Amino acid sequence: MTLFDDKELFTVGTSSKKYIDLPDLELMHYDGFIAKDAADAYYNSLLHNTPWREYQMPMYDKIVTAPRMVAWYGTHEEAGENALPWTPELLELRLRVEKETGLQFNAVLLNLYRNGNDSVAWHSDKEHRIGSNPNIASVTFGQTRPFKFRHKTNKEIAQVEIPLHHGTLLLMSGTTNTFWEHHIPKSAKEMLPRINLTFRQVKQR
Ligand SMILES: O=C(O)CCC(=O)C(=O)O
Ligand SMILES: [Mn+2]
């Protein structure tokens, strides 16, 4: 795996905050939520200091390796036995996200997309552990990749595509994860690593 540290490679957003309100979809998109210097520092540190692991997931009748690497953080009581303890850096990011959104989160999933072959398939984050209408706050560092949304049942509503830049915050709330799916497609273009953090509100059974 070749990973790059070049600080000038990533595009930061314009520091604009937008609310996207479509049928059953509620997003807050804050491009440039984290300024470039801080975003560069988080990117380099998370890339090198996270114990990234492969993730085996069910796909039809097989178990396959997900096309990305992951790390899961939270307390054992709230996020389960496999959760790693919060690091000062992740706690700092969580506080920034909580201050901006006015919400509280107790777990974070980190995803590493090593290159254009890495992706996340169409899915929604509707697990019993987070309830049916979860608030999920996503923070991105590194390579800009398009984040796509499609309505699960109403095919007349056009897909939504948001390029998630270095330092962007995207809050998915309301019924977004109940009625819409999202994904990050693979890309044939050369892509540097991208790190995404999804802050979540989990409950143990
Ligand atoms: O990488 C992203 O922006 C989203 C990841 C995601 O959808 C997930 O982990 O559930
Ligand atoms: Mn998701």
Side-chain angles (χ1 to χ4, degrees), residues 109 111 120-121 123-125 136 147 172 177 182-183 196 198 200:
L109 175 67
N111 278 301
V120 64
H123 71 281
S124 58
D125 294 302
I136 297 182
F147 193 54
M172 299 184 255
N177 270 283
H182 51 265
H183 97 131
N196 176 263
T198 42
R200 296 163 188 255

Side-chain angles (χ1 to χ4, degrees), residues 7 9 15 33-34 76-77 83 85 97 100 120 152 162 168 200:
K7 292 188 175 200
L9 292 171
S15 291
F33 164 62
I34 296 179
H76 287 175
E77 294 74 30
V97 167
E100 177 58 41
V120 64
K152 287 187 194 175
I162 302 174
T168 295
R200 296 163 188 255

Side-chain angles (χ1 to χ4, degrees), residues 5-70:
D5 278 336
D6 193 323
K7 292 188 175 200
E8 301 308 321
L9 292 171
F10 302 125
T11 315
V12 260
T14 50
S15 291
S16 58
K17 206 193 303 188
K18 283 196 202 102
Y19 295 88
I20 301 167
D21 212 347
L22 285 167
D24 312 318
L25 182 90
E26 212 182 294
L27 304 175
M28 191 274 276
H29 176 210
Y30 192 165
D31 213 21
F33 164 62
I34 296 179
K36 181 157 171 55
D37 284 357
D40 287 344
Y42 282 124
Y43 171 82
N44 283 315
S45 168
L46 292 170
L47 184 60
H48 297 295
N49 302 329
T50 304
W52 297 108
R53 61 175 175 82
E54 288 192 325
Y55 160 59
Q56 308 292 321
M57 58 177 199
M59 170 82 82
Y60 305 109
D61 53 349
K62 283 194 262 183
I63 300 286
V64 298
T65 303
R68 60 193 178 279
M69 297 189 89
V70 297

Side-chain angles (χ1 to χ4, degrees), residues 3-203:
L3 300 171
F4 301 83
D5 278 336
D6 193 323
K7 292 188 175 200
E8 301 308 321
L9 292 171
F10 302 125
T11 315
V12 260
T14 50
S15 291
S16 58
K17 206 193 303 188
K18 283 196 202 102
Y19 295 88
I20 301 167
D21 212 347
L22 285 167
D24 312 318
L25 182 90
E26 212 182 294
L27 304 175
M28 191 274 276
H29 176 210
Y30 192 165
D31 213 21
F33 164 62
I34 296 179
K36 181 157 171 55
D37 284 357
D40 287 344
Y42 282 124
Y43 171 82
N44 283 315
S45 168
L46 292 170
L47 184 60
H48 297 295
N49 302 329
T50 304
W52 297 108
R53 61 175 175 82
E54 288 192 325
Y55 160 59
Q56 308 292 321
M57 58 177 199
M59 170 82 82
Y60 305 109
D61 53 349
K62 283 194 262 183
I63 300 286
V64 298
T65 303
R68 60 193 178 279
M69 297 189 89
V70 297
W72 174 242
Y73 291 84
T75 63
H76 287 175
E77 294 74 30
E78 291 171 317
E81 287 291 289
N82 295 333
L84 297 165
W86 287 97
T87 64
E89 188 172 45
L90 291 172
L91 270 182
E92 184 183 279
L93 273 169
R94 178 177 126 187
L95 286 176
R96 286 178 79 156
V97 167
E98 289 182 337
K99 196 163 172 223
E100 177 58 41
T101 61
L103 297 166
Q104 292 200 321
F105 297 94
N106 61 5
V108 64
L109 175 67
L110 274 60
N111 278 301
L112 170 63
Y113 302 78
R114 292 157 286 188
N115 53 46
N117 279 327
D118 276 357
S119 60
V120 64
W122 285 112
H123 71 281
S124 58
D125 294 302
K126 188 171 166 266
E127 308 166 42
H128 66 271
R129 289 197 305 168
I130 38 183
S132 56
N133 287 330
N135 292 303
I136 297 182
S138 143
V139 177
T140 291
F141 298 113
Q143 179 75 53
T144 300
R145 302 274 298 257
F147 193 54
K148 296 193 178 186
F149 285 92
R150 70 175 181 199
H151 197 281
K152 287 187 194 175
T153 53
N154 188 341
K155 300 300 170 201
E156 280 168 24
I157 305 177
Q159 289 192 11
V160 176
E161 178 173 327
I162 302 174
L164 294 180
H165 297 133
H166 191 40
T168 295
L169 169 66
L170 181 74
L171 176 69
M172 299 184 255
S173 41
T175 56
T176 302
N177 270 283
T178 308
F179 291 103
W180 291 70
E181 294 177 309
H182 51 265
H183 97 131
I184 302 269
K186 291 188 193 301
S187 172
K189 291 190 204 131
E190 197 155 313
M191 294 272 155
L192 293 175
R194 167 180 187 270
I195 295 169
N196 176 263
L197 294 78
T198 42
F199 290 90
R200 296 163 188 255
Q201 300 169 316
V202 299
K203 284 188 209 92

